[in-house]
Amino acid sequence: MAGRPRSGIVGAGFIGEVHARAVRAAGGVLAAVAGPSAESSAAAATRLLAERAAPSGEELVEADDVDVVHICTPNHLHAPLAERALAAGKHVICEKPLSTDVAGAQRLADLAGAAPVVAAVPFVYRFYPTVRDARGRVRRGDLGSMRLIHGSYLQDWLSRTEDRNWRTDAALGGGSRAFGDIGVHWCDVVEFATGHRITRLVARLMSVPRGADRSGPGTEDAATVLFETDQGALGCVIVSQVSPGRKNRLWFSLDGARASLQFDQELPDSLWVGGREHNILVQRGAESSTDDAARYNIVPVGHPQGYVDCFTAFVADVYAATAGEPPDGLPTFDDGLRAAVITDAVLASAASSGWVTVPRTHINRETSTGPAPR
Ligand SMILES: NC(=O)c1ccc[n+]([C@@H]2O[C@H](COP(=O)([O-])OP(=O)(O)OC[C@H]3O[C@@H](n4cnc5c(N)ncnc54)[C@H](O)[C@@H]3O)[C@@H](O)[C@H]2O)c1
């Protein structure tokens, strides 16, 4: 890939616009945009300042003027578009969930694992400098052995019974809504920060009655999940899209033998560090921050950094990976499969009212002509 990376975006809603900003800020060219019709593509290309409007997502993912395909459509369209893009030899950024079921996510992860391309999933909370700092402190041993991992991801945008979105239709969004939509972000960021893997869990789901005109089978509005990890920690998380006043409260606490760490994405410029003698708020960019955090610290603290900056850092790391320099911590299709497997375990546990083992994931990285580049 010579020159600036050329990105094409399929789906120009909320997150498609965020991707478009990130493409430009990360030094890429927004080559093409596709909506569900030629008319909507044209309007989106004008709004997002793309070089051209693609006639369809299918055309865009195979187009010669696109190096990196961004799939930002409703969930049920991710797998077919991603598979087509991989078959065309494109680098792919596919929004979560990779697929609405585990089999589809496994297939995509295997295809990506056997292809010499970058295949990434925007688990962007990994890109907060304070999250990197939390991970660095855990790795440095500041916390001692990890005992408890707990927290929540709470939103309120579906809290009224008349609230509707394509996500409330399982045919478009998948069998899990609140957990599959935002719970997977929580699990990804805490597994990333701690290095622990959730091995067993028990889940309960809650749904708010939405009236007779609700389309499709119901999906959950909230989930509570109790879990164990491979390194002996116990944890729990509450996920909700019906908690009034909570907007994007992704919060977690990592409680070790010597210290605890707390991150709150609504106040992401500091990390709370708790001890027996005193508690401190470590500011982003503090001298005590670990090296892992410094790479993502782009403006002096006091000038807030946020979610959109995480997206820029993520896309910049994807571009670095396409140039043969994959940065540490880039979330890939392997992580997308992991999210699908945890979501499936949550649904299975809720259905059986019992503990469920979260299976280990395995990616087939063999091509018919031999091992693929790793
Ligand atoms: N990583 C994150 O932090 C994050 C945040 C929000 C959303 N998402 C994911 O992004 C995806 C989109 O979510 P959203 O909030 O932007 O939804 P949205 O409804 O705002 O946007 C979806 C867009 O896709 C378009 N679309 C529908 N069918 C299409 C087709 N066949 N071809 C092209 N475009 C089509 C719609 O017109 C709409 O503009 C979801 O899968 C969601 O899980 C991820």
Side-chain angles (χ1 to χ4, degrees):
M1 191 165 76
R4 291 165 66 194
R6 296 179 61 80
S7 278
I9 297 177
V10 188
F14 158 57
I15 214 64
E17 277 207 48
V18 174
H19 280 245
R21 288 172 199 272
V23 163
R24 269 190 284 274
V29 175
L30 185 53
V33 177
S37 64
E39 297 71 35
S40 65
S41 295
T46 303
R47 187 162 43 88
L48 303 186
L49 306 174
E51 282 187 353
R52 72 177 177 95
S56 69
E58 287 73 17
E59 189 275 346
L60 184 150
V61 302
E62 295 175 346
D64 289 342
D65 62 348
V66 172
D67 306 313
V68 183
V69 169
H70 301 234
I71 298 169
C72 301
T73 60
N75 301 350
H76 68 300
L77 299 170
H78 293 179
L81 286 166
E83 185 164 342
R84 205 161 170 152
L86 288 171
K90 304 298 182 188
H91 302 292
V92 182
I93 296 174
C94 182
E95 272 299 352
K96 32 61 57 175
L98 275 186
S99 169
T100 50
D101 59 23
V102 173
Q106 180 76 56
R107 179 172 167 75
L108 280 181
D110 287 345
L111 288 170
V117 297
V118 177
V121 178
F123 286 122
V124 291
Y125 300 96
R126 294 184 183 198
F127 293 84
Y128 279 108
T130 41
V131 166
R132 295 285 172 150
D133 197 24
R135 181 178 182 238
R137 287 167 193 268
V138 170
R139 288 179 155 191
R140 199 166 62 187
D142 291 11
L143 276 65
S145 65
M146 191 80 70
R147 292 168 172 167
L148 291 169
I149 298 171
H150 55 107
S152 56
Y153 194 158
L154 308 176
Q155 298 180 330
D156 71 358
W157 66 289
L158 290 168
S159 57
R160 297 189 181 126
T161 52
E162 67 271 24
D163 289 328
R164 294 289 183 279
N165 182 264
W166 57 261
R167 287 169 173 83
T168 60
D169 181 348
L172 306 183
S176 168
R177 194 227 314 146
F179 191 87
D181 198 31
I182 56 174
V184 292
H185 274 299
W186 190 92
C187 292
D188 180 81
V189 77
V190 299
E191 288 197 338
F192 179 68
T194 61
H196 286 229
R197 290 286 171 270
I198 296 170
T199 49
R200 291 178 76 226
L201 60 79
V202 61
R204 294 295 299 271
L205 307 180
M206 189 208 75
S207 300
V208 170
R210 290 190 184 277
D213 64 336
R214 180 177 179 167
S215 54
T219 50
E220 86 283 1
D221 289 292
T224 60
V225 183
L226 184 65
F227 61 83
E228 297 170 351
T229 75
D230 59 346
Q231 295 173 52
L234 187 61
C236 69
V237 60
I238 300 183
V239 177
S240 163
Q241 295 183 315
V242 292
S243 293
R246 304 300 189 183
K247 302 304 177 188
N248 276 289
R249 191 173 190 265
L250 188 166
W251 182 95
F252 64 77
S253 184
L254 314 178
D255 303 354
R258 278 194 297 279
S260 300
L261 285 180
Q262 174 194 302
F263 170 80
D264 179 356
Q265 106 100 20
E266 290 185 343
L267 295 166
D269 267 351
S270 62
L271 199 60
W272 182 92
V273 181
R276 279 290 287 266
E277 299 302 321
H278 51 255
N279 304 333
I280 56 173
L281 270 187
V282 179
Q283 299 295 312
R284 170 172 58 77
E287 282 179 18
S288 66
S289 295
T290 53
D291 292 345
D292 204 20
R295 196 155 66 89
Y296 297 99
N297 196 29
I298 55 171
V299 288
V301 70
H303 299 300
Q305 258 182 249
Y307 179 73
V308 172
D309 301 303
C310 291
F311 252 95
T312 300
F314 163 75
V315 173
D317 278 5
V318 169
Y319 288 165
T322 65
E325 296 161 11
D328 175 46
L330 184 68
T332 66
F333 276 25
D334 299 15
D335 302 297
L337 172 60
R338 171 90 187 136
V341 165
I342 296 176
T343 304
D344 198 52
V346 165
L347 290 176
S349 170
S352 67
S353 300
W355 283 87
V356 165
T357 297
V358 180
R360 286 177 170 274
T361 55
H362 174 76
I363 314 291
N364 178 8
R365 298 187 197 279
E366 302 294 312
T367 64
S368 53
T369 53
R374 284 163 199 257

